[in-house]
Amino acid sequence: AATLSFLAFLSTWRDDRKTYSQIAGAVLKKIITEAAQRLNCQTADLENLFFNELLTLIKIKDKKYLQLAKERNKSSLFISLGAKKYSQFYGAKIFKINQKFKKSLATSQELKGQPAYPGIVRGKAKIIRYKKEFIKMKPGDILIAPNTRPDYVPIMKMAGAIITDEGGVTCHAAITSRELKIPTIVGVQGATTILQDGDEIEVDAKKGIINFLNKK
């Protein structure tokens, strides 16, 4: 009973977090739109600035922040080093890091993540990043996605197994997979990058391992 109560609390907290994140996102979008009008630039040019950088740009109109935002728009990576500490890479640096990451994944014969619902399934991978790609899913295919949302449920029901780049035991994919009793592994970093549509894979959701059977 205590475990169920704790899980219920986590689910409620997760929903509250999403609600406040959506509110904050809506407010920030208005700020960015207004800032773009004042600075005579596109809103997309400002979306990768931290809030303090955006405020500084608005106040002093220092173009170095605008150039920084454009570099980050191409590609960026932030690594947390603790409270208010982080390392950042963008532009050419992140391109090199990404190429090394892809090369490392390409030489691997398996991917690993966190089991959400147990089972062993073989099937063809289908990469689904957007709703318009739902049409690619066929019954028994292995759904590969960055994460899942409520509108993914119809194709999740079709899937032989589910794999997500992100998430933990309380994410949408994990909770829904337990309800649907579909083998699922979450938090598989690089899944949507290294896997391709049509790859034949084995999902071992007991151990949290994806093996490549026939990779394109």
Side-chain angles (χ1 to χ4, degrees), residues 51-66:
F51 190 65
N52 64 310
E53 293 172 339
L54 179 61
L55 290 180
T56 302
L57 176 60
I58 293 172
K59 290 178 181 178
I60 65 175
K61 295 181 172 60
D62 189 335
K63 290 186 178 180
K64 73 177 182 182
Y65 286 105
L66 190 56

Side-chain angles (χ1 to χ4, degrees), residues 121-181:
V121 176
R122 292 186 174 190
K124 290 186 177 181
K126 290 295 174 66
I127 313 300
I128 308 293
R129 294 187 178 90
Y130 310 103
K131 192 171 181 178
K132 64 182 181 181
E133 296 178 323
F134 284 7
I135 193 172
K136 295 192 298 185
M137 280 293 296
K138 305 297 181 186
D141 285 344
I142 311 298
L143 170 61
I144 319 289
N147 49 44
T148 63
R149 302 182 297 274
D151 55 346
Y152 274 60
V153 172
I155 60 171
M156 292 174 78
K157 290 180 178 179
M158 298 170 58
I162 300 167
I163 298 169
T164 65
D165 286 330
E166 307 167 2
V169 293
T170 63
C171 72
H172 179 268
I175 293 173
T176 305
S177 70
R178 290 192 286 270
E179 293 175 353
L180 298 176
K181 295 180 172 52

Side-chain angles (χ1 to χ4, degrees), residues 13 19 46 54 60 81 84 111 118 123-124 128 130 140 151 153 168 180 193 196 205 213:
W13 179 82
T19 298
L46 306 178
L54 179 61
I60 65 175
L81 302 175
K84 298 183 180 179
L111 293 172
K124 290 186 177 181
I128 308 293
Y130 310 103
D151 55 346
V153 172
L180 298 176
T193 300
Q196 301 180 50
L213 301 177

Side-chain angles (χ1 to χ4, degrees), residues 11 16 28 41 51 58 84 86 102 106 109 123 159 161 164 188 190 201:
S11 296
D16 288 343
L28 184 58
C41 65
F51 190 65
I58 293 172
K84 298 183 180 179
Y86 61 88
K102 286 184 176 181
Q109 295 301 311
T164 65
V188 184
I201 59 176

